[in-house]
Amino acid sequence: MPRRMTRRARPRATAEAPQETVPVRVKINGVEYSHNVEPRLLLVNYIRDVVGLTGTHVGCDTTHCGACTVLVKGLRGDSWVAVKSCTLLTTQVDGKEVLTIEGLAKNGELHPLQKAFWENHGLQCGFCTPGMIMSALGLLLRNPNPSREEIKWGITGNLCRCTGYINIVKSIEAAAKEMREKGITI
Amino acid sequence: MAVTRLFGAKIRRKEDLRLLTGRGKYTADIYLPGTVHAFFVRSTYAHARIRSVDVSDALGVEGVIAAFTGQDIKDALGAVPTAWQIPGAELKVPKYMPLAVDRVRYVGDPYAVVVASSPYVAADAAERIKAEFEPLPSVTNPEKAVQPEAPQLYEDAPNNTAFVWRASGGDVDGVFSRADVVVEQRMVNSRLQPTAIETRGVLAVYDRYAEKATVYMTSQNPHVHRLLLSLITGIPEHRLRVVSYDVGGGFGSKIHCYGPEAVVLYLAMKLGVPVKWIETREENFKSTIHGRDHVQYVEAAATRDGKVLGLRVKSYANMGAYLSTAAPGIPTILFGPMLSGPYTIQAISVEVVGALTNTAPVDAYRGAGRPEATYILERVMDLVARELGMDPAEARARNFIPKDMFPYRTPIVLTYDSGDYERAFRRALELAEYWRWREEQKRAREAGRLIGIGLSSYIEICGLGPSAVARATGFGLGLWESTIVRVHPTGKVTVFTGGHPHGQGEETTFAQIVADKLGIPIEDVDVVHGDTDLVPFGLGTYGSRTTPVAGGAIAIACDRIIEKGRRIAAHLLEVREEDVVFEAGRYYVKELPERQKRIQEIALAAYAAGASELPPGTEPGLEATAFYDPSNFTFPFGTHVCIVEVDAETGQVNILKYVAVDDCGNQINPMIVEGQIHGGVVQGLAQALHEEAVYDERGNLLTATLTDYLVPSAVEAPDIVTDSTVTPSPHNPLGVKGIGEAGTIASTPAVANAVLDALAHLRVRHIDIPLRPEKILRALRKV
Ligand code: FES
Ligand code: FES
């Protein structure tokens, strides 16, 4: 089994009084948001509870399931990277750009990953799917032509209890092909 | 894709578009203005008397709205009911209060709740609750729990024994005395945590003026939840609406009614604002039901030529600290009758002792009782073969029920509907290249490599089930299913089903059934489920029942619509009803096929309802309600083959090949069937190799995070070769049998047998699952 790390998920308030809020500005799916948030607010809670985009899910409290995966630009240089939004504080994306599952389809047209998951039955209950797709996208941006093994290792941080992964891997292979052929990235 | 017939077509799923674009509506995704958040305070002791719980400090935290203890609400809420009260087993049902009142009985047992403006504040405030406990000795192992010296959980369940259930059929003593060989084995069927990726949750809102509550929740059976919540809270059923839109996997864990669900509803009523609670993963692992957990003693009697004649099984089934909703029926009714599997075993006796222990409640988890039985039987087949120096494939071939013996009556009460076990078995051997691998194994052994081949032939009880049987075995309700199929004036159709798919894809397969039956485009059919105010009372989705039972109801409703349409068509075409033929969406006159009416025209006429449109005495409208109560269970079957290599240095198991040949009768959407097999196989092999819920001797759950509870990732999932045979169920309206649990049932023994086969020549006879590297190494060191 791959090594898994544990961390404590919900940062606890230490002060007696409720925490001060701090301003954040973040662009999500191309829309600029600014809010005052508690410094301990996790990015996933910001996306879901404050901004109201509920496609990004929460499946654990220890950074294992990957249901909360989104892309962030500006964390590491200027490229988009897949991150588990339950492991970041909202303040860490201040001034940066975030892409969630809701921002993936363009003008009503599904992204090749979404299409491929649909065609290849890459989802059942669908709960892991947004995180899985964002994680796969992060992988394909890094490595547009991954081997089957590389795909499997690329999504080890995303758990799916329904599909047995076979059709997920197939979906990612199919999407990778279409993205290469058509020169599509995000 | 050129689809000739929608029934049987691999078409992509209707539900996917919303799920793929982040527009699914899971319970946590529902936000209502003014919502406050509950946080449950749970026991860190496995067993303790509650001396006092003081919530006053928590109430002082800014943002906290209320806090209650079990003591505070004990008169306001009833006990959580146990809905499967098996007869003839001296069942003791201990009182299962929504919040523990004077004693906590497992780590994770909730005893207080805090409500605050945000989940963060509620969690913070919960840390301020001061509780004093008097720790009591505890017991977690089911076999130890029923010994007289064990710590006692309840006064009214002596020796922690919830029940002793017995069943037998055939001349058991006779076959054992005649047997050439008897093999014996103690086996532990490990404890599992279901681990749906979506945890459980509830959002309840109460309208004080209408006196009506709405509960959004993660449920596999909204009507059953409505009934149980109504019993616990006293809110009348017609004033209670349970809504469960999308559900992120259940695997059984969202069938049951849990105390906190009723508490959240109570809080919404009491406080007059919406109250939300979303379980954390840690809570999920500690207090959502676990599965399996049997200690089994098995004896098998066989002849010299490999015929298995009889079985004696004694099992200690861990029930956990309380008897959850369906719990007593799982290790008994769904276990004992399954013990003869696909074989002509003539005599079986089984005794199951249900043990109350200081662990989370145990209830139905994917397969529920059937994997526990299949595991025994498939290990027994290998042990018998080994005892006789026979190939395990040969041993199975000598025991299959021949295909001309159906309907087949088993020693313990079941009547199998149809089957051709040998055909699926032969196909699996062929696809796996079984005999070539046996050769390969010989060569590998000579070279010091450990290759193993495992088989598992199974049957499954699906399509639960005839209501008469459900009731006779003590289930609280019948197990029929309901539907309304509504044809709108334009000929578009909405199907309301009492089933509640949550990943199984019935929004698509049901649309396929209706489109196929009525001869309309699949785009013209939508399926609605999961809202008790919209759909008729239904029993929900579990036990691989939704396609056979809810699908059966839909087929019957469609037939009723077609018949009513025929009356209207005859009227419009001015011929006699018996002269009207319905085919592919149109009614035509038998001898004059060009005189026809499309079903859409009939629908319009049915609603227009003028004298020229409706025959006299015909009710307007075009819809049908059906309640389908199956006459028997369905019995899918198949054979799985697994080939592994065990690394003698590290004990690591590598799956080289996995073949699954399953027969679930007619397939409505083979793509979905295959997906169910994939997921089931990986879930079952996880039990064989990775997953196990572990309590330490003080009752702490050591596997309370995903670091410790090893759910397979993509890297652990093997490729799976699938194929199927088709033996339709003769009694189901669609000839379907169900496929939701087959993979899980078959794969655990297939993988375990493969690993143990790899070690067989080293005189390793049996190791209990999960076959983790350390256990394998330990066994190898011993030899
Ligand atoms: S919620 Fe599980 S990894 Fe973020
Ligand atoms: S589709 Fe259900 S968890 Fe992946």
Side-chain angles (χ1 to χ4, degrees):
Chain A
M1 302 288 287
R3 217 169 96 82
R4 291 170 180 171
M5 312 268 287
T6 324
R7 60 175 283 286
R8 187 172 178 147
R10 177 184 288 140
R12 298 296 166 95
T14 44
E16 289 296 304
Q19 299 198 335
E20 300 290 307
T21 58
V22 293
V24 290
R25 286 177 82 85
V26 46
K27 200 187 235 186
I28 304 182
N29 303 336
V31 181
E32 195 79 59
Y33 296 91
S34 60
H35 288 99
N36 289 324
V37 302
E38 273 190 58
R40 63 170 172 167
L41 185 70
L42 298 174
L43 177 57
V44 67
N45 293 131
Y46 178 71
I47 293 171
R48 291 178 54 85
D49 306 344
V50 180
V51 178
L53 295 169
T54 57
T56 304
H57 298 150
V58 176
C60 73
D61 36 26
T62 49
T63 314
H64 286 111
C65 74
C68 61
T69 308
V70 299
L71 292 193
V72 178
K73 186 158 130 180
L75 276 181
R76 248 180 268 150
D78 205 28
S79 50
W80 288 100
V81 286
V83 292
K84 293 179 175 177
S85 63
C86 72
T87 67
L88 283 184
L89 296 168
T90 312
T91 52
Q92 289 174 282
V93 299
D94 187 23
K96 305 195 174 24
E97 261 190 83
V98 174
L99 183 72
T100 72
I101 190 74
E102 289 93 339
L104 206 50
K106 295 266 157 35
N107 308 322
E109 168 132 17
L110 295 182
H111 186 273
L113 272 162
Q114 291 168 309
K115 253 190 280 174
F117 271 69
W118 198 5
E119 296 290 343
N120 293 285
H121 192 28
L123 67 156
Q124 290 181 24
C125 79
F127 196 79
C128 72
T129 311
M132 195 65 84
I133 286 181
M134 298 317 278
S135 187
L137 183 54
L139 168 72
L140 297 182
L141 293 177
R142 265 195 338 267
N143 178 0
N145 193 5
S147 68
R148 188 167 276 214
E149 270 313 282
E150 285 171 328
I151 293 175
K152 287 187 168 191
W153 281 103
I155 56 167
T156 46
N158 291 73
L159 296 178
C160 174
R161 194 55 155 170
C162 299
T163 63
Y165 302 100
I166 295 168
N167 290 342
I168 290 180
V169 174
K170 241 196 242 170
S171 304
I172 297 172
E173 280 176 333
K177 185 157 177 273
E178 187 184 341
M179 286 165 68
R180 281 197 310 276
E181 284 171 2
K182 299 198 179 148
I184 301 172
T185 52
I186 284 183
Chain B
M1 200 174 340
V3 173
T4 46
R5 202 187 148 189
L6 283 164
F7 190 106
K10 285 191 185 189
I11 48 174
R12 56 186 193 178
R13 302 195 317 171
K14 288 170 80 80
E15 43 273 81
D16 286 354
L17 198 51
R18 69 171 186 274
L19 303 177
L20 282 166
T21 50
R23 289 179 297 120
K25 226 193 244 175
Y26 301 92
T27 300
D29 300 342
I30 300 165
Y31 289 79
L32 297 176
T35 295
V36 297
H37 301 266
F39 185 92
F40 287 90
V41 189
R42 294 173 183 276
S43 174
T44 53
Y45 292 99
H47 196 189
R49 204 158 274 129
I50 303 174
R51 284 236 188 85
S52 65
V53 183
D54 179 2
V55 300
S56 47
D57 268 11
L59 287 171
V61 173
E62 194 181 324
V64 170
I65 292 143
F68 298 94
T69 67
Q71 194 69 38
D72 296 336
I73 64 163
K74 73 173 196 300
D75 299 322
L77 293 177
V80 181
T82 300
W84 200 343
Q85 306 224 353
I86 52 172
E90 291 170 60
L91 179 70
K92 312 277 185 313
V93 180
K95 206 165 189 194
Y96 177 9
M97 292 306 286
L99 289 182
V101 178
D102 41 27
R103 222 148 119 179
V104 283
R105 291 186 173 85
Y106 70 95
V107 169
D109 205 355
Y111 61 86
V113 61
V114 184
V115 187
S117 55
S118 88
Y120 283 32
V121 174
D124 289 346
E127 291 184 354
R128 308 280 188 98
I129 288 186
K130 292 199 199 81
E132 274 184 54
F133 293 95
E134 176 194 332
L136 299 168
S138 64
V139 61
T140 59
N141 176 291
E143 198 177 4
K144 289 189 185 143
V146 296
Q147 307 307 321
E149 64 276 11
Q152 299 289 304
L153 270 75
Y154 297 95
E155 261 120 56
D156 46 3
N159 294 332
N160 301 317
T161 302
F163 56 82
V164 180
W165 180 85
R166 294 187 184 89
S168 67
D171 177 14
V172 180
D173 292 339
V175 299
F176 270 86
S177 65
R178 281 202 309 278
D180 299 320
V181 289
V182 172
V183 298
E184 294 179 19
Q185 185 62 52
R186 176 185 192 268
M187 301 178 198
V188 177
N189 202 292
S190 49
R191 188 180 181 103
L192 298 176
Q193 298 166 195
T195 324
I197 303 299
E198 177 202 37
T199 59
R200 293 187 307 105
V202 184
L203 167 62
V205 50
Y206 188 73
D207 179 335
R208 281 182 173 164
Y209 301 99
E211 295 180 348
K212 182 164 176 159
T214 303
V215 184
Y216 302 91
M217 66 185 296
T218 49
S219 175
Q220 294 178 227
N221 34 220
H223 277 100
V224 176
H225 263 115
R226 187 185 68 176
L227 176 59
L228 296 175
L229 288 172
S230 162
L231 294 173
I232 300 169
T233 60
I235 300 173
E237 234 181 323
H238 66 301
R239 299 268 171 80
L240 192 51
R241 172 181 174 217
V242 173
V243 186
S244 183
Y245 296 118
D246 289 312
V247 179
F251 314 109
S253 69
K254 294 168 184 169
I255 296 172
H256 320 295
C257 189
Y258 296 83
E261 296 167 353
V263 174
V264 172
L265 173 54
Y266 167 78
L267 292 169
M269 238 166 97
K270 176 104 184 153
L271 303 173
V273 286
V275 181
K276 194 173 190 175
W277 164 68
I278 303 296
E279 195 185 51
T280 65
R281 175 58 61 192
E282 185 183 334
E283 281 183 294
N284 177 269
F285 277 169
K286 285 183 175 166
S287 67
T288 284
I289 61 104
H290 292 176
R292 320 273 193 264
D293 203 350
H294 285 221
V295 178
Q296 303 161 329
Y297 291 86
V298 184
E299 286 174 73
T303 63
R304 201 167 295 116
D305 56 0
K307 270 291 231 190
V308 178
L309 303 173
L311 286 177
R312 282 195 191 113
V313 173
K314 171 147 189 177
S315 191
Y316 296 90
N318 200 338
M319 307 312 295
Y322 304 98
L323 291 181
S324 168
T325 311
I330 307 303
T332 53
I333 312 295
L334 290 181
F335 168 76
M338 286 286 298
L339 283 164
S340 48
Y343 308 117
T344 53
I345 301 173
Q346 309 153 14
I348 294 177
S349 77
V350 48
E351 177 179 311
V352 183
V353 181
L356 294 158
T357 66
N358 297 110
T359 64
V362 178
D363 205 328
Y365 165 57
R366 199 172 193 174
R370 291 153 286 170
E372 294 90 315
T374 305
Y375 181 75
I376 289 181
L377 193 55
E378 289 309 291
R379 284 296 298 129
V380 158
M381 279 294 161
D382 270 29
L383 291 171
V384 167
R386 172 144 15 147
E387 185 76 26
L388 297 170
M390 190 179 275
D391 188 276
E394 193 50 48
R396 285 175 175 78
R398 291 188 185 184
N399 285 285
F400 284 128
I401 298 164
K403 68 167 189 247
D404 52 13
M405 277 177 75
F406 291 89
Y408 176 85
R409 190 150 170 98
T410 69
I412 304 184
V413 304
L414 297 174
T415 302
Y416 294 166
D417 54 351
S418 61
D420 187 347
Y421 304 148
E422 192 151 353
R423 182 155 67 119
F425 171 74
R426 298 267 170 235
R427 180 75 185 130
L429 294 192
E430 181 186 320
L431 281 173
E433 302 177 285
Y434 182 84
W435 298 108
R436 186 181 74 70
W437 276 101
R438 280 286 173 217
E439 291 303 312
E440 181 74 29
Q441 181 183 41
K442 259 187 230 149
R443 282 196 293 277
R445 279 179 180 171
E446 280 156 23
R449 284 170 56 214
L450 306 176
I451 299 240
I453 306 161
L455 288 169
S456 160
S457 295
Y458 72 95
I459 62 123
E460 193 192 349
I461 315 180
C462 280
L464 310 185
S467 297
V469 178
R471 295 290 296 141
T473 62
F475 196 74
L477 288 167
L479 281 170
W480 43 266
E481 199 49 270
S482 66
T483 191
I484 298 170
V485 176
R486 179 169 297 156
V487 185
H488 304 290
T490 52
K492 313 286 180 195
V493 175
T494 306
V495 179
F496 300 85
T497 173
H500 189 35
H502 43 280
Q504 299 87 342
E506 273 100 354
E507 287 179 36
T508 307
T509 39
F510 286 175
Q512 285 179 262
I513 296 171
V514 173
D516 181 77
K517 279 262 182 198
L518 301 185
I520 59 177
I522 192 162
E523 297 73 32
D524 289 1
V525 188
D526 275 357
V527 177
V528 173
H529 58 93
D531 182 339
T532 59
D533 269 9
L534 288 179
V535 304
F537 196 104
L539 278 306
T541 289
Y542 43 82
S544 305
R545 69 187 302 275
T546 301
T547 301
V549 189
I554 290 167
I556 292 167
C558 287
D559 287 339
R560 289 184 185 155
I561 286 167
I562 292 169
E563 282 323 299
K564 179 167 182 185
R566 193 190 308 278
R567 279 202 300 284
I568 301 170
H571 182 69
L572 294 174
L573 294 166
E574 296 173 327
V575 291
R576 288 178 316 171
E577 239 176 278
E578 39 295 16
D579 292 332
V580 176
V581 179
F582 179 73
E583 199 185 286
R586 57 191 198 105
Y587 292 91
Y588 61 86
V589 181
K590 210 184 276 168
E591 309 296 335
L592 295 163
E594 65 285 354
R595 283 193 58 204
Q596 54 160 307
K597 291 280 171 196
R598 291 180 307 117
I599 190 163
Q600 289 83 352
E601 296 172 80
I602 300 297
L604 194 57
Y607 284 93
S612 63
E613 286 145 331
L614 276 194
T618 304
E619 282 179 16
L622 192 59
E623 67 174 59
T625 299
F627 287 73
Y628 170 56
D629 191 1
S631 59
N632 189 4
F633 301 100
T634 54
F635 296 91
F637 59 89
T639 292
H640 290 202
V641 186
C642 177
I643 297 158
V644 299
E645 174 153 11
V646 177
D647 185 325
E649 299 283 304
T650 62
Q652 200 79 39
V653 175
N654 186 14
I655 295 180
L656 303 177
K657 186 161 194 178
Y658 196 100
V659 172
V661 177
D662 298 276
D663 190 324
C664 59
N666 291 334
Q667 299 190 6
I668 300 168
N669 188 329
M671 176 190 83
I672 290 176
V673 169
E674 191 188 42
Q676 290 293 310
I677 300 285
H678 287 169
V681 165
V682 172
Q683 223 164 338
L685 77 82
Q687 183 183 22
L689 298 178
H690 310 294
E691 291 179 20
E692 183 181 24
V694 184
Y695 284 94
D696 70 9
E697 68 285 1
R698 304 180 76 177
N700 293 304
L701 182 66
L702 299 180
T703 47
T705 73
L706 284 163
T707 330
D708 309 294
Y709 190 76
L710 301 179
V711 170
S713 76
V715 173
E716 286 79 36
D719 285 338
I720 299 171
V721 179
T722 55
D723 197 9
S724 51
T725 58
V726 176
T727 311
S729 169
H731 64 79
N732 182 276
L734 297 164
V736 301
K737 291 192 170 189
I739 195 64
E741 293 154 302
T744 322
I745 292 172
S747 64
T748 310
V751 176
N753 280 341
V755 175
L756 292 162
D757 183 63
L759 310 178
H761 62 300
L762 303 172
R763 293 181 203 292
V764 176
R765 179 186 152 93
H766 180 82
I767 313 172
D768 281 321
I769 46 175
L771 301 169
R772 296 234 186 104
E774 65 271 17
K775 277 198 203 165
I776 291 173
L777 284 184
R778 225 177 292 137
L780 286 177
R781 288 219 182 96
K782 259 195 227 150
V783 296

